[in-house]
C-alpha cells in the first residue's frame, strides 16, 4: 500500500519568509501528485498538480512544487508568504492506473505571523 | 464557476438517530468520493463511485454507513444509527477522469 509522508506537522514563519513543505510517497510506480490547501473552516482546494512533463509545476497563489522522481518527493514552495497563506496543506498521490483514490498525507499546518 | 454542493452544512443529532448527507457533484464529473476528516485521523476515504457504480467502500464501517448514487446529480451518505465517534466533517468530492478532485464545503456532523 502506498503512503504519503509530510515531514512537518506545524510550521510557523513570518510574512515574506520563504516556505518549503516536504512530501514523500512510497509507491514505486507512476503517480499523479497534488497539493491541496485548506483555509481555516473551509474545504480543500487544489493548489497544483503534476501529471507528466516539466517536473517543476506552478500553481495558484504563487505556489510551485518540484517532482523529483529519484527521491519520490514532491515538495511545495513559495518564495515569500503572506498572512493569508495561513492554512493546512495536504500532499496527495494517485497511483496511475485505473484507480482514482487519492492518498493524503497527514497535512502540515502553516501559521504565518504578520 | 461549477462547484460541488453539500447539504446540510451543519448537523447536530443525538446518538442513535439516522443521518443523511447529500452531495451534488459537478455536472459531467464521472467520479464521486466521500471523505471524513477528524483531528485524530485526518482525511479518510470512505467510499467512491465511478459512473455511479460503487468501486470501493472499504473505508466505511459497513454495519452503520451506506453510500449511494441514485442518479448522476446526487450522492448520499447515510449513517444509521449514528454514534458520537461519527462526529467529523464529511466531504464530498467529484472529478473528471483526469484524476483531479474538487471538494465540496463539507457537512460538519456532531453526534451527542
Amino acid at each position: 500500500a502506498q503512503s504519503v509522508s509530510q515531514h512537518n506537522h506545524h510550521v510557523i514563519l513570518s510574512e515574506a519568509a520563504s516556505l518549503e513543505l516536504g512530501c514523500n510517497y512510497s509507491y514505486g510506480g507512476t503517480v499523479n501528485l497534488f497539493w491541496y490547501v485548506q483555509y481555516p473552516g473551509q474545504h480543500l482546494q487544489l493548489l497544483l498538480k503534476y501529471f507528466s512533463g516539466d517536473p517543476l509545476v506552478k500553481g495558484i497563489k504563487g505556489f510551485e512544487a518540484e517532482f523529483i522522481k529519484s527521491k519520490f518527493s514532491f515538495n511545495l514552495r513559495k518564495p515569500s508568504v503572506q498572512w493569508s497563506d495561513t492554512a493546512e496543506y495536504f500532499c496527495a498521490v494517485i497511483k496511475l492506473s485505473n484507480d482514482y483514490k487519492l492518498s493524503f498525507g497527514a497535512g502540515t499546518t502553516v501559521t504565518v505571523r504578520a | 464557476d461549477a462547484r460541488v454542493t453539500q447539504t446540510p452544512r451543519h448537523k447536530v443529532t443525538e446518538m442513535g438517530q439516522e443521518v443523511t448527507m447529500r452531495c451534488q457533484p459537478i455536472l459531467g464529473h464521472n467520479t464521486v468520493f466521500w471523505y471524513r476528516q477528524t483531528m485524530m485521523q485526518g482525511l479518510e476515504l470512505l467510499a467512491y463511485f465511478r459512473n455511479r457504480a460503487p468501486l470501493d467502500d472499504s473505508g466505511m464501517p459497513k454495519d452503520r454507513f451506506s453510500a449511494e448514487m441514485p442518479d448522476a446529480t446526487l450522492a448520499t451518505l447515510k449513517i444509521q444509527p449514528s454514534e458520537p465517534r461519527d462526529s467529523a466533517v464529511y466531504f464530498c468530492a467529484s472529478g473528471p477522469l483526469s484524476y483531479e478532485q474538487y471538494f465540496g464545503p463539507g457537512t460538519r456532523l456532531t453526534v451527542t
Side-chain angles (χ1 to χ4, degrees):
Chain A
Q2 64 188 64
S3 68
V4 182
S5 300
Q6 292 184 238
H7 310 309
N8 308 99
H9 180 63
H10 194 180
V11 172
I12 302 172
L13 59 169
S14 300
E15 277 194 309
S18 64
L19 173 70
E20 180 160 0
L21 303 181
C23 173
N24 286 90
Y25 60 95
S26 61
Y27 179 64
T30 304
V31 295
N32 287 347
L33 299 156
F34 306 83
W35 275 97
Y36 282 86
V37 60
Q38 187 176 28
Y39 297 104
Q42 296 190 26
H43 61 287
L44 278 79
Q45 301 173 46
L46 182 65
L47 263 183
L48 47 78
K49 62 191 178 189
Y50 173 78
F51 289 174
S52 64
D54 188 345
L56 184 62
V57 292
K58 294 192 183 299
I60 61 172
K61 303 179 188 289
F63 285 91
E64 64 179 31
E66 185 175 13
F67 171 51
I68 303 179
K69 189 174 181 180
S70 61
K71 295 185 178 180
F72 299 89
S73 71
F74 190 56
N75 293 353
L76 180 72
R77 297 194 291 254
K78 185 169 183 177
S80 177
V81 295
Q82 300 172 314
W83 177 80
S84 57
D85 293 321
T86 295
E88 190 159 14
Y89 294 80
F90 293 91
C91 180
V93 177
I94 287 181
K95 182 175 65 174
L96 190 60
S97 65
N98 202 27
D99 179 340
Y100 300 93
K101 293 191 290 187
L102 270 173
S103 293
F104 281 93
T108 298
T109 301
V110 173
T111 301
V112 180
R113 291 180 172 158
Chain B
D1 186 22
R3 297 185 182 192
V4 176
T5 58
Q6 290 185 248
T7 56
R9 294 292 309 277
H10 301 272
K11 176 73 175 178
V12 180
T13 191
E14 292 183 346
M15 182 173 63
Q17 297 298 305
E18 178 179 299
V19 175
T20 299
M21 290 170 271
R22 294 177 174 80
C23 167
Q24 182 172 13
I26 293 172
L27 191 63
H29 282 186
N30 302 87
T31 57
V32 174
F33 304 81
W34 283 105
Y35 293 90
R36 175 170 63 185
Q37 186 178 37
T38 61
M39 289 291 291
M40 294 300 295
Q41 301 295 328
L43 272 161
E44 303 173 277
L45 177 66
L46 297 176
Y48 81 103
F49 297 79
R50 178 164 22 119
N51 295 325
R52 294 178 54 204
L55 287 193
D56 189 343
D57 60 2
S58 59
M60 220 161 54
K62 300 291 192 303
D63 56 338
R64 299 183 301 106
F65 284 61
S66 62
E68 296 179 346
M69 275 201 77
D71 61 60
T73 64
L74 178 64
T76 62
L77 179 67
K78 189 175 294 186
I79 308 174
Q80 168 63 20
S82 58
E83 297 180 3
R85 60 181 167 150
D86 301 328
S87 297
V89 181
Y90 291 81
F91 288 105
C92 174
S94 73
L97 292 179
S98 59
Y99 306 101
E100 295 179 41
Q101 293 183 24
Y102 296 84
F103 283 76
T107 294
R108 182 175 295 277
L109 174 65
T110 303
V111 183
T112 60

